[in-house]
């Protein structure tokens, strides 16, 4: 049996009672149409963590009834972001039971500690969704999960929303996806459902679909997608929000992909995986041979009083490898990271 995926969708922020009313009405058929495959949850940010004080900061507790009414109309749970204990208590008292911790909050252990320790009467009724921190720091992400677990919460999910890497950010997207971080999270917490926030990774409506598709191919347990009745006039994240019609198209596309993917589960995949395993065996044999040569070089350098680290030589190796990577369609920066690790191991061996 295929377990149901989770879909958290709705506007970046609740802006008015009318906007929440319209979004609920326009998503009703869409969500009902996919209810056999997806457990939907309606999202809307009430307290918005914005970098600039001049940006829209969210409507706060005033929006709680708008969100709750919209979710009731849709027949799905409501979810909102909480960063401070007062947000959590206000939303909990209003009846909300699904809370996400935003990237900026996960980055701050004091804030997570405060949220985890808040006086919530029925912890088993609550589900937490922990977004990855702003930068790729696995310990901050898992630290937030551990704090919630330690406080007695049992229903915990995580959300992969990509990383702000400044000048290293990968081109077209707002956040670098760094799927390796999502894979590492899954390895550490196989039992915790991991969703991908395709909207915040993509940053532009045009790219949301390809990120969502990739997430499904990677076996993620669900998606967070921002949907606004009229994205152009949204008060926050206008560029990345989908219209309800675009959400509908996306879900149909993913559903079609899912069935084809399932029927194609086949000998072909098994054969390809076998080839990967064999290639990995060869790769590791080569790495081990390389280390052995490094050890011999280390012996030579010691006998001739040469220093282990020869920067010019490494620079030459690195430049050659990065140029090679570029020619072969491999990201030179990634090639550099791999080469750095290999070189570090060689140096250690020589020492
Ligand atoms: C959000 O989901 O509205 C949000 C602010 O996301 P993040 O914390 O991922 O930036
Ligand atoms: Mn947003």
């Amino acid at each position: 049996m295929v377990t149901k995926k989770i879909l958290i969708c709705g506007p970046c922020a609740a802006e008015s009672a009318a906007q929440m009313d319209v979004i609920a009405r326009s998503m009703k058929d869409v969500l009902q149409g996919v209810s056999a495959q997806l457990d939907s949850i309606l999202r809307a940010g009430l307290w918005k963590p914005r970098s600039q004080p001049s940006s829209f900061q969210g409507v706060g507790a005033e929006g709680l009834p708008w969100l709750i009414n919209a979710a009731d109309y849709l027949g799905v749970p409501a979810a909102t972001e909480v960063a401070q204990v007062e947000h959590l208590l206000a939303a909990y008292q209003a009846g909300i039971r699904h809370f996400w911790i935003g990237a900026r909050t996960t980055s701050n252990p004091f804030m997570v500690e405060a949220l985890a320790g808040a006086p919530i009467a029925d912890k088993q009724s609550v589900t937490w969704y922990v977004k990855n921190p702003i930068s790729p720091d696995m310990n901050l992400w898992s630290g937030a999960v551990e704090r919630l677990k330690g406080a007695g919460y049992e229903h915990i999910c995580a959300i992969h929303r990509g990383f702000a890497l400044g000048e290293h950010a990968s081109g077209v997207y707002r956040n670098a996806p760094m799927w390796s971080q999502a894979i590492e999270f899954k390895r550490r917490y196989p039992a915790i459902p991991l969703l991908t926030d395709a909207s915040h990774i993509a940053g532009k409506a045009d790219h949301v679909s390809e990120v969502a598709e990739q997430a499904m191919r990677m076996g993620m347990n669900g998606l967070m997608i921002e949907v606004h009745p009229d994205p152009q006039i949204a008060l926050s994240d206008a560029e990345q929000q989908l219209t309800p019609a675009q959400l509908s198209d996306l879900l149909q596309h993913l559903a079609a992909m899912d069935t084809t993917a399932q029927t194609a589960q086949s000998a072909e995949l098994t054969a390809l995986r076998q080839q990967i395993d064999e290639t990995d065996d060869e790769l590791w044999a080569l790495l081990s041979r390389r280390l052995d040569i490094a050890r011999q070089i280390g012996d030579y350098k010691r006998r001739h009083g040469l220093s282990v680290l020869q920067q010019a030589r490494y620079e030459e190796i690195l430049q050659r490898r990065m140029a090679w990577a570029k020619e072969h369609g491999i990201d030179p920066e990634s090639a550099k990271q791999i080469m750095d690790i290999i070189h570090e191991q060689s140096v250690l061996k020589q020492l």
Side-chain angles (χ1 to χ4, degrees), residues 66-349:
W66 312 340
L67 170 57
I68 290 167
N69 289 341
D72 284 351
Y73 175 80
L74 285 168
V76 303
T80 199
E81 172 167 352
V82 293
Q84 294 174 351
V85 174
E86 63 190 68
H87 304 159
L88 173 60
L89 295 183
Y92 181 82
Q93 273 151 23
I96 293 180
R97 293 293 180 268
H98 294 253
F99 305 107
W100 79 86
I101 297 186
R104 293 156 192 78
T105 308
T106 308
S107 304
N108 186 330
F110 284 132
M111 294 176 83
V112 177
E113 184 80 20
L115 287 170
I120 292 296
D122 183 6
K123 290 185 173 167
Q124 295 325 314
S125 69
V126 166
T127 304
W128 286 99
Y129 301 83
V130 183
K131 288 204 177 194
N132 67 252
I134 298 272
S135 52
D137 182 333
M138 190 53 63
N139 285 334
L140 276 176
W141 200 1
S142 71
V145 168
E146 294 301 332
R147 284 188 160 91
L148 292 169
K149 276 191 181 173
Y153 289 101
E154 285 176 11
H155 306 295
I156 300 176
C157 301
I159 300 179
H160 163 227
R161 49 79 76 192
F163 302 87
L165 296 185
E167 60 184 289
H168 301 296
S170 62
V172 293
Y173 298 147
R174 174 181 180 181
N175 292 337
M178 300 190 71
W179 293 99
S180 56
Q181 294 283 310
I183 293 167
E184 174 60 14
F185 186 93
K186 270 216 158 289
R187 196 187 63 77
R188 288 199 195 186
Y189 295 104
I192 294 189
L194 178 58
L195 284 61
T196 293
D197 178 344
S199 300
H200 285 89
I201 289 180
K204 289 234 179 348
D206 282 352
H207 294 308
V208 170
S209 169
E210 71 203 41
V211 176
E213 184 176 328
Q214 188 158 3
M216 291 298 97
R217 288 193 188 282
M218 304 269 303
M220 297 292 152
N221 306 101
L223 295 167
M224 179 179 257
I225 308 276
E226 288 188 336
V227 189
H228 191 283
D230 188 356
Q232 283 184 340
I233 57 163
L235 299 180
S236 57
D237 288 348
E239 289 192 11
Q240 72 194 26
Q241 303 204 56
L242 301 188
T243 61
Q246 286 171 324
L247 174 71
S248 172
D249 289 349
L250 170 61
L251 295 179
Q252 278 177 29
H253 170 68
L254 294 179
M257 190 187 100
D258 231 52
T259 20
T260 21
Q262 275 161 32
T263 42
Q265 258 300 355
S266 61
E268 192 181 343
L269 180 60
T270 314
L272 287 170
R273 284 183 170 156
Q274 194 161 348
Q275 285 180 47
I276 283 282
D277 289 347
E278 285 165 11
T279 312
D280 280 351
D281 286 346
E282 288 169 26
L283 192 61
W284 283 95
L286 281 173
L287 285 171
S288 147
R289 206 173 97 202
R290 193 185 191 285
L291 280 179
D292 196 47
I293 300 173
R295 191 184 45 71
Q296 294 176 42
I297 292 182
D299 285 347
Y300 178 92
K301 286 178 178 167
R302 188 169 328 102
R303 276 187 274 117
H304 294 82
L306 296 170
S307 73
V308 164
L309 190 62
Q310 302 206 334
Q311 203 55 47
R313 162 76 179 144
Y314 183 51
E315 197 55 42
E316 178 200 318
I317 293 181
L318 201 55
Q319 290 311 326
R320 184 151 26 98
R321 195 51 54 200
M322 286 170 80
W324 184 92
K326 202 169 167 192
E327 241 172 64
H328 290 77
I330 298 170
D331 170 37
E333 204 46 48
S334 307
K336 177 176 184 302
Q337 283 173 9
I338 294 171
M339 208 58 234
D340 280 344
I341 296 172
I342 294 175
H343 180 245
E344 187 185 350
Q345 291 305 313
S346 273
V347 168
L348 289 175
K349 199 74 170 178

